[in-house]
């Protein structure tokens, strides 16, 4: 059995407060089984102020996630590992300052921007894995299977040529991926003799993305 905790706090110049925390616990279930769980949370403080929405430190980032691993050894020479990993990322806005094109100086003051439409980044990521190995003596059989599921969204904006309007850019999508590998690998020849390996690999990935560009009326938000 084991456990650990870690925490930190920091300050950003002209910005907010950083803080993070991690925790881990390792639990023996039986002589042949154990479980480890890890969790984490982190917030990176922002330092850019959006004057249009009167919102300070908009470019903050929040990242939280966790991992769990179950290891099983029900019989000699057989090892089974099942694991799951998840992560959630949220970013409040772009880390950029609006500038005057001719002089490349801040248009509204140091560390400021004028974005009348909210901007954000969101990412959701999950990974699952199962690994099995068996030692036959003369060779070891490995099998590993992984499944990934990711979803994301992002919005941003830019100036428009029409008065009272602004360009809005939005994109979202997802990624699903399955990977399977199986191989039989000979025992070590200890620097002399023949070593061999035979196996197969398969992957299937599906990716989709949609993008929308609009001209938004700032009075009606349509």
């Amino acid at each position: 059995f084991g456990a650990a905790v870690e925490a930190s706090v920091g300050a950003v110049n002209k910005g907010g407060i950083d803080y993070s925390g991690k925790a881990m616990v390792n639990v023996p279930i039986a002589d042949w089984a154990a479980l480890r769980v890890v969790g984490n949370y982190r917030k990176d403080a922002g330092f850019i102020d959006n004057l249009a929405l009167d919102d300070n430190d908009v470019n903050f980032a929040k990242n939280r996630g966790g991992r769990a691993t179950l290891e099983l050894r029900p019989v000699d020479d057989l090892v089974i590992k099942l694991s799951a990993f998840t992560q959630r990322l949220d970013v409040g806005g772009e880390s950029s300052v609006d500038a005057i094109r001719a002089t490349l100086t801040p248009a509204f003051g140091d560390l400021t921007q004028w974005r009348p439409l909210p901007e954000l980044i969101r990412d959701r990521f999950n990974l699952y894995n199962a690994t099995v190995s068996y030692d036959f003596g003369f060779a070891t059989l490995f099998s590993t299977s992984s499944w990934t599921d990711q979803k994301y969204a992002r919005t941003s904006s830019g100036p428009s040529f029409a008065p009272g309007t602004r360009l809005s850019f939005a994109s979202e999508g997802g990624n699903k991926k399955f990977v399977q590998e199986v191989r039989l690998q000979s025992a070590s020849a200890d620097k002399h003799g023949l070593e061999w390996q035979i196996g197969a690999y398969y992957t299937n990935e599906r990716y989709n993305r949609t993008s929308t560009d609009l001209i938004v009326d700032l009075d009606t938000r349509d």
Side-chain angles (χ1 to χ4, degrees):
F1 178 85
V5 176
E6 177 183 307
S8 66
V9 178
V12 177
N13 185 34
K14 298 183 180 180
I17 302 297
D18 285 336
Y19 51 87
S20 66
K22 302 177 184 177
M24 178 278 294
V25 61
N26 193 90
V27 181
I29 301 174
D31 292 340
W32 51 274
L35 174 67
R36 172 172 290 211
V37 179
V38 179
N40 67 278
Y41 180 89
R42 173 174 174 172
K43 180 181 179 183
D44 294 328
F47 51 87
I48 303 293
D49 297 338
N50 186 348
L51 302 181
L53 298 178
D54 194 23
D55 193 1
N56 295 332
D57 306 330
V58 294
N59 61 325
F60 69 87
K62 292 182 180 179
N63 194 332
R64 62 267 192 206
R67 183 181 74 250
T69 302
L70 177 65
E71 182 169 329
L72 308 173
R73 302 192 180 198
V75 297
D76 292 342
D77 303 321
L78 175 63
V79 179
I80 302 172
K81 288 185 179 181
L82 306 175
S83 62
F85 172 83
T86 184
Q87 178 174 273
R88 302 290 184 266
L89 174 65
D90 292 285
V91 179
E94 298 282 349
S95 296
S96 59
V97 173
D98 292 339
I100 301 173
R101 185 183 298 272
T103 61
L104 296 181
T105 56
F108 306 103
D110 188 30
L111 301 180
T112 61
Q113 57 182 223
W114 184 273
R115 311 287 170 86
L117 300 178
E119 299 178 335
L120 60 85
I121 298 175
R122 291 179 180 172
D123 191 285
R124 305 291 185 261
F125 182 82
N126 298 304
L127 171 64
Y128 309 96
N129 176 262
T131 300
V132 180
S133 66
Y134 188 84
D135 188 354
F136 291 99
F138 72 95
T140 300
L141 178 65
F142 296 93
S143 173
T144 178
S145 308
S146 295
W147 172 260
T148 301
D149 184 8
Q150 181 183 22
K151 296 179 181 179
Y152 72 90
R154 179 171 184 169
T155 61
S156 59
S157 63
S160 172
F161 292 105
T165 65
R166 190 168 178 88
L167 291 175
S168 174
F169 312 102
S171 63
E172 61 181 7
N175 183 29
K176 297 180 183 293
K177 185 175 183 179
F178 174 75
V179 178
Q180 174 66 51
E181 180 181 359
V182 179
R183 68 180 186 269
L184 185 65
Q185 182 173 317
S186 66
S188 173
D190 196 20
K191 300 181 181 180
H192 299 283
L194 176 66
E195 294 183 1
W196 52 268
Q197 178 176 278
I198 185 172
Y201 175 85
Y202 172 80
T203 181
N204 185 299
E205 183 171 4
R206 296 183 179 182
Y207 176 83
N208 68 82
R209 176 180 177 179
T210 58
S211 298
T212 304
D213 298 339
L214 300 172
I215 297 180
V216 179
D217 188 303
L218 296 180
D219 292 330
T220 62
R221 299 288 167 159
D222 294 329

